[in-house]
Amino acid sequence: MHIPLSETQKVDIEPFFEALEKSIKQTTIEYDVRDWLYVPNCYGEYRYILGTTGKKPLVCIGINPSTAAPNNLDNTLKSVERIAKGNGFDSFIMFNVYAQRATRPQDMDRELNEALHRENMKAFDYVLSLYEGGNPAVWAAWGNIVEMRPYLKKCLADMVRVGKEHSAVWYSSGKISKLGHPHHPLYLRKDSPLDLFDMESYVESL
């Protein structure tokens, strides 16, 4: 369980590319940087990226990070890893609409931290650039908790914009909820297929 120590407006936010450089260059005994992408590369109040390295990653989008870290995946991330492999991807990257770490979504910031969101969008742009050959695959996988905070719609709209710049292809997996939201990864079968998802229309309907 991770309960935020405070609103992220009271936390020093490390710019994404500074955190990325450290994560690539600094060695650690906790995980092999050749196998993992973890930014920032230490446990804290926010996380931009967690995933494995490869040329064809499945980019899974949740709402916000919880306790997972390299070699210590939670059940959601274990499911993401299985489904990525089951659909022919050589790696996975877990990304989030909002970067604040909080196990319970109700503990998220009440108001959008613009600085954190701005750096998170830089991270999203970077993540999509890792997909060799273009048309990165992005899996919308957040469930109904997207309704927890009004500012999440703005975050999603910005992600659509960044996705367009990379010609991203959006997918969902599992049954769409009665409220129209894409299924959360937990409890999906490892052989669950990815279905095309009309992300633009979805965001407009929120």
Side-chain angles (χ1 to χ4, degrees), residues 20-37:
L20 174 65
E21 185 175 10
K22 290 180 182 178
S23 72
I24 294 173
K25 291 184 177 181
Q26 291 183 359
T27 59
T28 170
I29 61 172
E30 297 176 350
Y31 66 94
D32 192 331
V33 296
R34 295 170 297 183
D35 298 329
W36 291 92
L37 185 61

Side-chain angles (χ1 to χ4, degrees):
M1 177 73 71
H2 184 97
I3 300 175
L5 297 176
S6 67
E7 298 279 313
T8 60
Q9 286 83 352
K10 299 179 181 179
V11 176
D12 289 331
I13 302 299
E14 184 174 22
F16 168 70
F17 284 107
E18 290 182 15
L20 174 65
E21 185 175 10
K22 290 180 182 178
S23 72
I24 294 173
K25 291 184 177 181
Q26 291 183 359
T27 59
T28 170
I29 61 172
E30 297 176 350
Y31 66 94
D32 192 331
V33 296
R34 295 170 297 183
D35 298 329
W36 291 92
L37 185 61
Y38 185 40
V39 187
N41 67 340
C42 58
Y43 192 94
E45 290 297 304
Y46 60 93
R47 187 187 76 210
Y48 296 124
I49 302 170
L50 171 60
T52 52
T53 57
K55 296 181 179 180
K56 187 184 177 183
L58 174 61
V59 182
C60 180
I61 311 295
I63 288 298
N64 68 309
S66 183
T67 60
N71 297 322
N72 186 27
L73 301 181
D74 57 22
N75 289 334
T76 295
L77 270 290
K78 289 177 182 177
S79 181
V80 169
E81 184 175 40
R82 288 193 298 268
I83 291 172
K85 290 181 179 178
N87 282 276
F89 295 89
D90 67 358
S91 53
F92 77 92
I93 293 176
M94 189 70 208
F95 193 80
N96 290 277
V97 179
Y98 196 61
Q100 182 185 27
R101 197 187 292 268
T103 300
R104 302 180 305 185
Q106 59 264 38
D107 291 329
M108 292 169 59
D109 289 339
R110 293 289 176 180
E111 302 293 334
L112 175 67
N113 183 334
E114 293 282 359
L116 181 61
H117 173 59
R118 182 169 57 251
E119 296 304 320
N120 201 40
M121 291 302 96
K122 292 178 184 178
F124 189 49
D125 182 72
Y126 172 78
V127 163
L128 297 186
S129 75
L130 297 176
Y131 197 98
E132 294 192 2
N135 302 117
V138 185
W139 173 16
W142 45 76
N144 293 337
I145 58 175
V146 70
E147 299 191 8
M148 189 65 64
R149 294 288 185 267
Y151 60 74
L152 294 173
K153 178 177 180 178
K154 167 183 166 49
C155 298
L156 287 171
D158 287 342
M159 295 180 74
V160 169
R161 174 183 53 78
V162 175
K164 279 186 176 181
E165 294 172 359
H166 293 270
S167 299
V169 180
W170 290 83
Y171 297 92
S172 64
S173 185
K175 187 178 180 180
I176 300 296
S177 77
K178 292 181 180 179
L179 297 175
H181 305 305
H183 200 289
H184 190 276
L186 203 57
Y187 307 125
L188 287 176
R189 293 168 54 96
K190 66 180 181 181
D191 59 351
S192 296
L194 296 173
D195 304 308
L196 289 173
F197 184 68
D198 189 344
M199 183 64 175
E200 288 188 55
S201 295
Y202 167 76
V203 172
E204 290 175 0
S205 71
L206 291 177

